[in-house]
Amino acid sequence: MELNLVDWLRLLHPILAVTVVFPLLGIVVSRAVLTRSRRLGSSDDRKKIPANVGPEHVQTGQWLAIAVIGIYLLGCGRPMVAFWLKQQTLSQMPLQGLLVLVTYGVTLGALWGILRAGNQRLWRWTFSGLTAIGLVVLGWQEGIFRRDNEWLISHFYAGLAATLLMVFSLAIVPEIYRDRSQTWRRLHIAANTLAMILFIAQGITGTRDLLEIPLSWQESTVYACDFDKASPTYKTCPPVPKAPQ
């Protein structure tokens, strides 16, 4: 069955998740285990593990955080623009579109600021806060499906939580190296363990949501169904149109 441009745009978010985010996640977890083994293991264990696993863990962790934030922004942007085009929002309220574009720009600029701030704690946390605020504001725009009544099993809410944890992880990297009490390191381990669980949940809920999204040419039929009356033995849906040749 041939997919049109709209269908491919919908698939871009899960495609990038499968081909970019999850492979990076595997590398980061692998480097994290090796880094911890080298730091806490015996002298013989340390000799077996290369000394560069620590810097590699930090670098791939940054790539993972950037990829997660980017895929979140893409996941919010595509349905938002589709909603605007359908409702003709930009022609009626052009200021709203301009504010959203500004928010996207500020969020991306703040993300760049986190990476450039280095050991400047005030700027790093300021940019982290701006990034987090931008992510939340963009996630609550019209057109984005959130499952507000089922937030515990929502792909959006788990994705937002994981993305915010990635921002937090970027912000605390210099703190981990400066803190001799290991408090920040423990926070880092706890936050990223939770993030890994959320990523697994994302794989489950994302696969489920793909089954619920019809192809573009099927929308008029699927969304015309009466889901309140539908049951395994009684379907109240109009006839399904033939696929375009």
Side-chain angles (χ1 to χ4, degrees), residues 2 8 46 61 72 83 102 109 132 135 151 154 164-165 178 220 238 244:
E2 186 176 351
W8 279 112
R46 294 175 186 174
Y72 173 90
F83 178 82
V102 170
L135 294 173
W151 63 271
S154 167
L164 293 177
L165 286 172
R178 283 201 297 255
S220 58

Side-chain angles (χ1 to χ4, degrees), residues 73-152:
L73 294 175
L74 174 64
C76 290
R78 204 276 321 158
M80 194 191 312
V81 172
F83 178 82
W84 287 352
L85 294 176
K86 185 177 181 180
Q87 302 294 326
Q88 297 182 345
T89 303
L90 292 179
S91 60
Q92 298 174 8
M93 294 183 292
L95 182 60
Q96 180 180 354
L98 178 61
L99 290 175
V100 168
L101 287 176
V102 170
T103 305
Y104 262 95
V106 170
T107 305
L108 291 172
L111 174 60
W112 179 82
I114 298 173
L115 300 174
R116 297 292 295 176
N119 292 324
Q120 302 178 62
R121 180 180 298 176
L122 176 60
W123 284 111
R124 186 161 22 86
W125 286 105
T126 300
F127 286 130
S128 300
L130 288 173
T131 304
I133 292 171
L135 294 173
V136 173
V137 169
L138 291 171
W140 258 263
Q141 298 302 308
E142 292 180 295
I144 298 175
F145 183 57
R146 292 185 292 269
R147 290 185 186 268
D148 291 332
N149 60 329
E150 298 177 320
W151 63 271
L152 282 174

Side-chain angles (χ1 to χ4, degrees), residues 231-244:
S231 70
T233 58
Y234 179 66
K235 305 294 184 183
T236 56
C237 298
V240 178
K242 293 182 179 180

Side-chain angles (χ1 to χ4, degrees), residues 23-245:
L24 280 175
L25 177 62
I27 296 172
V28 170
V29 172
S30 172
R31 294 297 181 270
V33 172
L34 290 175
T35 300
R36 186 168 178 81
S37 299
R38 179 177 171 81
R39 185 169 60 85
L40 301 178
S42 63
S43 57
D44 292 336
D45 293 333
R46 294 175 186 174
K47 292 178 181 178
K48 297 176 183 178
I49 301 173
N52 62 342
V53 293
E56 285 182 357
H57 172 61
V58 174
Q59 186 179 49
T60 52
Q62 289 182 342
W63 291 346
L64 174 64
I66 294 170
V68 170
I69 294 170
I71 201 173
Y72 173 90
L73 294 175
L74 174 64
C76 290
R78 204 276 321 158
M80 194 191 312
V81 172
F83 178 82
W84 287 352
L85 294 176
K86 185 177 181 180
Q87 302 294 326
Q88 297 182 345
T89 303
L90 292 179
S91 60
Q92 298 174 8
M93 294 183 292
L95 182 60
Q96 180 180 354
L98 178 61
L99 290 175
V100 168
L101 287 176
V102 170
T103 305
Y104 262 95
V106 170
T107 305
L108 291 172
L111 174 60
W112 179 82
I114 298 173
L115 300 174
R116 297 292 295 176
N119 292 324
Q120 302 178 62
R121 180 180 298 176
L122 176 60
W123 284 111
R124 186 161 22 86
W125 286 105
T126 300
F127 286 130
S128 300
L130 288 173
T131 304
I133 292 171
L135 294 173
V136 173
V137 169
L138 291 171
W140 258 263
Q141 298 302 308
E142 292 180 295
I144 298 175
F145 183 57
R146 292 185 292 269
R147 290 185 186 268
D148 291 332
N149 60 329
E150 298 177 320
W151 63 271
L152 282 174
I153 56 172
S154 167
H155 186 72
F156 168 80
Y157 283 103
L160 175 60
T163 307
L164 293 177
L165 286 172
M166 292 296 98
V167 176
F168 176 73
S169 296
L170 283 178
I172 66 172
V173 170
E175 313 295 344
I176 294 173
Y177 287 102
R178 283 201 297 255
D179 183 21
R180 296 186 178 277
S181 66
Q182 304 296 314
T183 301
W184 285 105
R185 191 180 299 276
R186 294 189 186 98
L187 281 174
H188 171 73
I189 294 173
N192 285 278
T193 300
L194 176 58
M196 186 171 63
I197 295 172
L198 290 172
F199 283 130
I200 295 172
Q202 286 298 89
I204 297 171
T205 57
T207 306
R208 175 205 61 195
D209 288 355
L210 282 177
L211 291 175
E212 298 182 0
I213 301 174
L215 296 174
S216 56
W217 61 271
Q218 297 173 333
E219 286 183 344
S220 58
T221 298
V222 174
Y223 293 147
C225 295
D226 189 343
F227 295 101
D228 294 331
K229 295 181 180 179
S231 70
T233 58
Y234 179 66
K235 305 294 184 183
T236 56
C237 298
V240 178
K242 293 182 179 180
Q245 298 298 322

